[in-house]
Amino acid sequence: MESRCPGCFHPRCANAAACAACQVCDAARTSPFGVSPAKPEPPAHTMAGPFGLFPAHGQTSLFGVPAATPNPFLFSFPPTPPEPAQTSPLFGQPWATSTPSAFNFTPPTQAPGYAQTTFPFHPLFGSIRTDAETFVFDDDEPVEKPAEPPLNAASNGGPLVLETHCELPAVARGCARDSFAVLVHAKAPGANTDHTATRAPLDLVTVLDVSGSMAGRKLALLKEAMGFVVDKLGPADRLSVVSFSCNARRVSPLMRMSDAGKASAKLAVQSLVSGGGTDILKGLQMAADVLDGRRHRNAVASVVLLSDGQDNDMEQSGLYGREKSYQDLVPRSLAGGDRSAAPIHTFGFGTDHDAAAMHAVAEATGGTFSFIENQAVVQDAFAQCIGGLLSVVAQETWIAVTCPHPDVRVRAIKSGRYESRVAAYGRAASVDVGELYADEERRFLLFVDVPSAAADDDDITRLVKVSCTYKDTATRKSMEVAGEEAFVRRSADVTSQDQKPSTEVEMERFRIEATEDIAAARAAAERGDHGEAARILDRRRNAAPAGLAGGDARCAALVLELGELSARVASRREYEQTGRACVLSGMSSHAQQRASSMSLIGSMAATPVFAGSAAPYVASSPFAMAAGAYATPAMKAMVDSSRETREQRQQQQAPSSATTTMPNSASIFAPNNGSI
């Protein structure tokens, strides 16, 4: 039978050794909001309820004890329902208007006029998940009704741009080529500079680990990072905060980030306390319940998961090491099989988290996995992710390819994790790209069979025709873009100039091969062959195209990345501590061509500053040299803002110091550690 605390009726943690006392009572006694630590006998005129002791009349403290000192968590329980009923912006429960405190909550009851819920609700800590029960969260705050765009409304910074690049400009007339490479390059519209234009509003659920290992500085840094996120959300965006340890709690419902909503969200975050174990599944299931139960929906939805430890249930059941079991951590409604499902962007906090589990969760849902070894810059990692989510300009992006020439066939597509299909006997192909952030780019390699040309054929062979359809988030209209047609010249005599390969194709081919070798190195390291893992990466690094390694910033950064990863997989100790997380973060970025964050300690020496955003985007190591290829201007600007905020906070905390630096640290914010 489930054990419950006699003071607040909160279910005790199943791990009795780690949680001998009630977490809720202990949390309240140590709360920064001043809940009285005293525990005298309850007054005579009280009655037991499902959430603790509630008074028949008058006021009492959170746990049914008369408050000797002013207590912000006093609530009223009047004999008749309050008129009019108002909704708390923090927990979505009606409060009584008879007491001015913003924390006066009306406890759930069967009396007419009181709020009825379909799930247990704690007046301080929100809804608590203790098992696999299903929650119905239909108390989300209504979304702002979007204004109808004018008939002549402009799209986000112009239309999406499609380009094609052939491996070679010409093929000899009498020759046939198999697997001839054609690069399809798509670039999303830029952010609209017209401030009257609307962006797609966001529904965001943050799932935060508050287990015992998060105590102290980790939790304080997480709260600061969440405060920054709240500040950057707009009034049309909605946020729900979920915390988890042994159990999961919805700390705040899905509510708009108006001034009142932001204040409530920050108070909810500040109320977080650490303790207990780590149950990632319960946290994600709570997030899924929040999103599934929505009565209203914003155009963009996402989940952010941060954890610093190993999932207790999987660890105790001996399932670690069997990667297929990690899929069990993803709730069915968030699985990537449904294109409308919200992606989960995961953040491994510190060196003790399970990188394989976090990567698997992100991979299964279309999110990115980021590694935060340098815990001090967790805010910057969140900033980069939010910078992308708040700049979605295209949705339902679909690239279609057709072959105009009757004898040209598409043989294969290298599209990473994006679903691709070759149909009609190779006469057509497609790639499902999904959402794109402002200025994001995608590159896909097509391999086509080029037929020989007869003497009386045309001087060119048309290879592929590319088009794209997507939904523009500014105008909410479906758009269609015709891209460049790829063709090669045909002549009897092919000059040396005609045999000069395309730089764009060569770079993408090298990136794809490097990504495959990173995966191969990971497989070697997992089986304990760390020497072979390092050799695989070193060989690929040395095979970088000579014409690109010195002159192309993306290629140079990828070479540096391969060198860094080689050092981190070369020994078992380094691989277990940081190498696995570094490799998986890189694989996540390259598979999606989307920026993930990596914050490392003791990386390569610091260097250059990159422009292109409102403030300088500083790359702290050569590992991040080409940050602009995956990290968009909006992401860079958000990271710059985060760094400025952190510096100001540090100066306020240490006013005697003119500047505050973080020694021996490197913050990398870009795809694959900023490489490409």
Side-chain angles (χ1 to χ4, degrees), residues 524-545:
E526 290 292 340
R527 64 175 181 263
D529 195 346
H530 296 280
E532 176 61 18
R535 284 191 292 272
I536 291 172
L537 296 172
D538 290 339
R539 282 196 299 267
R540 181 56 55 191
R541 181 182 57 174
N542 295 331

Side-chain angles (χ1 to χ4, degrees), residues 209-463:
D209 189 344
V210 292
S211 58
S213 57
M214 288 289 294
R217 185 167 180 262
K218 280 186 179 180
L219 187 59
L221 290 170
L222 178 58
K223 290 180 179 181
E224 290 178 351
M226 281 300 301
F228 176 84
V229 170
V230 170
D231 285 335
K232 294 303 178 181
L233 296 177
D237 302 314
R238 300 190 300 174
L239 172 69
S240 176
V241 179
V242 171
S243 67
F244 69 94
S245 54
C246 297
N247 299 314
R249 301 183 181 92
R250 188 190 67 158
V251 185
S252 66
L254 195 61
M255 56 187 174
R256 291 201 307 266
M257 289 296 96
S258 59
D259 291 342
K262 288 184 177 183
S264 298
K266 288 182 178 180
L267 287 173
V269 169
Q270 289 303 318
S271 72
L272 296 176
V273 292
S274 59
T278 304
D279 197 322
I280 296 175
L281 176 58
K282 286 180 180 175
L284 289 179
Q285 187 59 61
M286 182 74 81
D289 291 340
V290 171
L291 293 176
D292 294 344
R294 290 176 293 173
R295 297 171 299 167
H296 316 277
R297 293 172 183 262
N298 272 327
V300 181
S302 188
V303 176
V304 168
L305 166 67
L306 179 140
S307 178
D308 75 331
Q310 311 273 334
D311 185 86
N312 294 150
D313 288 344
M314 296 181 68
E315 188 174 30
Q316 293 172 3
S317 61
L319 293 178
Y320 273 123
R322 292 165 50 194
E323 188 164 343
K324 63 181 181 181
S325 65
Y326 291 132
Q327 303 297 326
D328 298 336
L329 294 175
V330 183
R332 182 174 302 175
S333 64
L334 294 180
D338 182 1
R339 62 181 300 167
S340 64
I344 304 176
H345 299 283
T346 61
F347 294 83
F349 198 32
T351 58
D352 295 327
H353 75 280
D354 184 3
M358 301 293 276
H359 175 262
V361 169
E363 192 76 4
T365 61
T368 55
F369 164 60
S370 300
F371 172 40
I372 308 174
E373 181 188 14
N374 183 5
Q375 301 164 7
V377 293
V378 59
Q379 178 176 299
D380 296 356
F382 275 15
Q384 180 171 269
C385 180
I386 296 300
L389 294 174
L390 295 182
S391 64
V392 174
V393 295
Q395 294 178 307
E396 303 175 15
T397 308
W398 182 276
I399 295 177
V401 178
T402 58
C403 301
H405 194 285
D407 294 326
V408 172
R409 296 289 187 271
V410 177
R411 174 168 292 198
I413 306 176
K414 293 289 187 178
S415 59
R417 78 162 304 277
Y418 297 102
E419 182 180 352
S420 61
R421 182 184 179 188
V422 177
Y425 304 100
R427 297 297 309 282
S430 61
V431 182
D432 186 357
V433 182
E435 286 185 347
L436 288 172
Y437 303 157
D439 296 300
E440 255 193 334
E441 300 179 52
R442 297 289 183 268
R443 292 176 172 86
F444 305 114
L445 270 187
L446 304 177
F447 293 96
V448 301
D449 293 339
V450 181
S452 60
D456 57 348
D457 285 348
D458 295 336
D459 292 337
I460 64 170
T461 298
R462 302 165 65 200
L463 300 180

Side-chain angles (χ1 to χ4, degrees), residues 117-195:
T117 61
T118 57
F119 48 86
F121 186 87
H122 191 285
L124 174 59
F125 293 95
S127 305
I128 303 172
R129 174 179 296 279
T130 58
D131 51 32
E133 60 191 328
T134 299
F135 283 58
V136 179
F137 291 120
D138 56 359
D139 57 346
D140 56 307
E141 191 172 2
V143 300
E144 285 189 349
K145 184 178 180 181
E148 287 296 328
L151 295 177
N152 59 348
S155 61
N156 282 295
L160 184 145
V161 177
L162 276 177
E163 296 178 348
T164 59
H165 302 271
C166 291
E167 177 182 350
L168 298 171
V171 175
R173 183 178 290 274
C175 295
R177 290 287 300 269
D178 294 338
S179 297
F180 184 84
V182 178
L183 174 69
V184 177
H185 177 203
K187 183 174 182 179
N192 202 322
T193 56
D194 181 4
H195 296 291

Side-chain angles (χ1 to χ4, degrees), residues 361-669:
V361 169
E363 192 76 4
T365 61
T368 55
F369 164 60
S370 300
F371 172 40
I372 308 174
E373 181 188 14
N374 183 5
Q375 301 164 7
V377 293
V378 59
Q379 178 176 299
D380 296 356
F382 275 15
Q384 180 171 269
C385 180
I386 296 300
L389 294 174
L390 295 182
S391 64
V392 174
V393 295
Q395 294 178 307
E396 303 175 15
T397 308
W398 182 276
I399 295 177
V401 178
T402 58
C403 301
H405 194 285
D407 294 326
V408 172
R409 296 289 187 271
V410 177
R411 174 168 292 198
I413 306 176
K414 293 289 187 178
S415 59
R417 78 162 304 277
Y418 297 102
E419 182 180 352
S420 61
R421 182 184 179 188
V422 177
Y425 304 100
R427 297 297 309 282
S430 61
V431 182
D432 186 357
V433 182
E435 286 185 347
L436 288 172
Y437 303 157
D439 296 300
E440 255 193 334
E441 300 179 52
R442 297 289 183 268
R443 292 176 172 86
F444 305 114
L445 270 187
L446 304 177
F447 293 96
V448 301
D449 293 339
V450 181
S452 60
D456 57 348
D457 285 348
D458 295 336
D459 292 337
I460 64 170
T461 298
R462 302 165 65 200
L463 300 180
V464 295
K465 185 177 181 180
V466 183
S467 62
C468 177
T469 60
Y470 66 97
K471 182 179 291 184
D472 188 286
T473 58
T475 63
R476 298 188 291 281
K477 295 179 181 178
S478 295
M479 308 289 290
E480 185 171 358
V481 175
E484 296 178 344
E485 191 172 83
F487 63 88
V488 290
R489 298 193 306 273
R490 310 305 294 266
S491 62
D493 298 323
V494 177
T495 66
S496 58
Q497 187 67 23
D498 292 332
Q499 295 302 304
K500 184 178 180 181
S502 164
T503 300
E504 288 290 334
V505 173
E506 286 297 293
M507 180 60 229
E508 182 62 14
R509 194 195 298 271
F510 177 61
R511 187 191 71 84
I512 290 173
E513 292 170 347
T515 304
E516 293 171 348
D517 281 347
I518 291 172
R522 181 211 172 192
E526 290 292 340
R527 64 175 181 263
D529 195 346
H530 296 280
E532 176 61 18
R535 284 191 292 272
I536 291 172
L537 296 172
D538 290 339
R539 282 196 299 267
R540 181 56 55 191
R541 181 182 57 174
N542 295 331
L548 295 178
D552 186 274
R554 291 178 296 153
C555 186
L558 183 52
V559 169
L560 287 170
E561 177 185 357
L562 292 170
E564 177 85 3
L565 294 180
S566 175
R568 291 183 180 264
V569 303
S571 68
R572 177 179 178 181
R573 180 179 179 277
E574 185 64 30
Y575 181 74
E576 294 291 339
Q577 188 170 15
T578 66
R580 179 183 289 112
C582 287
V583 167
L584 290 174
S585 182
M587 290 171 59
S588 175
S589 252
H590 283 306
Q592 297 191 62
Q593 300 181 54
R594 172 163 285 174
S596 67
S597 303
M598 193 176 299
S599 313
L600 304 178
I601 298 176
S603 186
M604 299 180 181
T607 49
V609 174
F610 292 92
S613 58
Y617 183 73
V618 181
S620 325
S621 84
F623 202 12
M625 281 182 58
Y630 283 165
T632 67
M635 290 177 165
K636 297 175 185 179
M638 193 67 77
V639 173
D640 293 337
S641 177
S642 172
R643 288 172 174 166
E644 291 174 1
T645 301
R646 286 195 297 110
E647 290 173 1
Q648 292 172 2
R649 188 187 303 131
Q650 291 169 354
Q651 290 173 0
Q652 292 173 356
Q653 294 172 352
S656 59
S657 175
T659 59
T660 305
T661 59
M662 201 171 303
N664 194 32
S665 67
S667 306
I668 297 127
F669 297 99

